[in-house]
């Protein structure tokens, strides 16, 4: 297996957060302006590059859980995915326990497929204005990327 076969586990740069400080629902810095530095996996979908953050306490089903415990589920949170418009926003490697990395990497096709379906479902729901589906996305970062995702603006009469 060569390096391109492995999932990319990275950090986002402080410049990403500075340039994108207006994002709704993003896991970004704290109130004092310090960037927390979530680890992300980098996934390409429809020529768009997304960073899906690792979460240590996921309490919903919209992601990939790689470790369950009484303290909380650890996983990749699809609802907090961030669009990465510049390669220079992707920083150094992010380290997690090797057994978690292996589990994520072994499921990279499933993660890619599930996240792609998550995004497609959002786009369709927005274009159809399907409030039943959209309620599942109320805390999603995808609302920041309508133009990039090709979501039609609401028609006003």
């Amino acid at each position: 297996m060569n390096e391109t076969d492995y999932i990319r586990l990275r950090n986002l740069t402080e410049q990403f957060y500075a340039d994108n400080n207006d994002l709704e629902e993003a896991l970004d810095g704290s109130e004092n302006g310090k960037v927390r530095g979530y680890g992300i996996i980098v996934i390409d979908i429809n020529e768009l590059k997304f960073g899906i953050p690792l979460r240590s306490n996921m309490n919903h089903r919209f992601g990939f859980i790689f470790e369950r415990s009484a303290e909380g589920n650890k996983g990749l949170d699809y609802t907090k995915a961030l669009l990465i418009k510049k390669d220079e926003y992707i920083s150094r490697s992010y380290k997690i326990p090797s057994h978690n990395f292996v589990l994520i990497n072994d499921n990279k096709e499933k993660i890619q497929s599930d996240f792609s379906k998550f995004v497609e479902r959002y786009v369709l729901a927005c274009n159809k204005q399907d409030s039943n589906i959209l309620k599942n996305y109320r805390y999603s970062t995808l609302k920041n990327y309508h133009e990039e995702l090709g979501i039609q603006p609401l028609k006003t009469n």
Side-chain angles (χ1 to χ4, degrees):
M1 188 177 266
N2 67 39
E3 191 170 313
T4 59
D5 293 331
Y6 290 101
I7 206 151
R8 293 180 291 166
L9 187 55
R10 301 285 186 256
N11 268 46
L12 291 173
T13 64
E14 288 190 30
Q15 190 61 51
F16 171 86
Y17 293 103
D19 291 352
N20 294 279
N21 63 359
D22 59 341
L23 294 176
E24 293 181 46
E25 299 296 336
L27 299 174
D28 49 16
S30 65
E31 291 77 39
N32 65 8
K34 183 170 174 7
V35 174
R36 180 172 170 183
Y38 287 88
I40 59 163
I41 65 162
V42 180
I43 288 189
D44 296 311
I45 293 182
N46 300 329
E47 300 180 24
L48 297 172
K49 187 175 300 197
F50 284 93
I52 303 174
L54 294 142
R55 298 282 305 270
S56 58
N57 191 11
M58 272 186 43
N59 57 5
H60 59 77
R61 61 185 170 94
F62 303 107
F64 176 78
I65 304 292
F66 56 80
E67 187 175 312
R68 296 181 189 278
S69 73
E71 294 83 44
N73 295 328
K74 294 180 181 177
L76 299 168
D77 190 345
Y78 301 159
T79 68
K80 302 302 180 189
L82 300 166
L83 185 63
I84 304 170
K85 296 180 182 178
K86 298 179 184 176
D87 285 338
E88 52 267 22
Y89 287 150
I90 301 170
S91 185
R92 67 194 186 299
S93 294
Y94 189 83
K95 303 289 184 208
I96 60 173
S98 61
H99 65 280
N100 288 339
F101 178 79
V102 168
L103 188 58
I104 292 169
N105 197 65
D106 286 351
N107 285 281
K108 82 176 181 178
E109 286 83 14
K110 177 181 176 17
I111 293 165
Q112 175 91 28
S113 174
D114 289 351
F115 180 67
S116 182
K117 289 174 189 170
F118 179 79
V119 173
E120 289 170 14
R121 186 173 166 106
Y122 178 74
V123 171
L124 286 170
C126 284
N127 286 335
K128 291 181 178 180
Q129 299 179 24
D130 187 331
S131 60
N132 286 329
I133 294 173
L134 288 173
K135 68 182 176 188
N136 292 321
Y137 291 88
R138 66 185 169 272
Y139 301 114
S140 172
T141 55
L142 295 178
K143 64 180 77 175
N144 297 293
Y145 308 121
H146 281 203
E147 182 179 337
E148 295 87 345
L149 293 170
I151 295 171
Q152 304 302 313
L154 292 177
K155 292 183 170 105
T156 56
N157 294 336

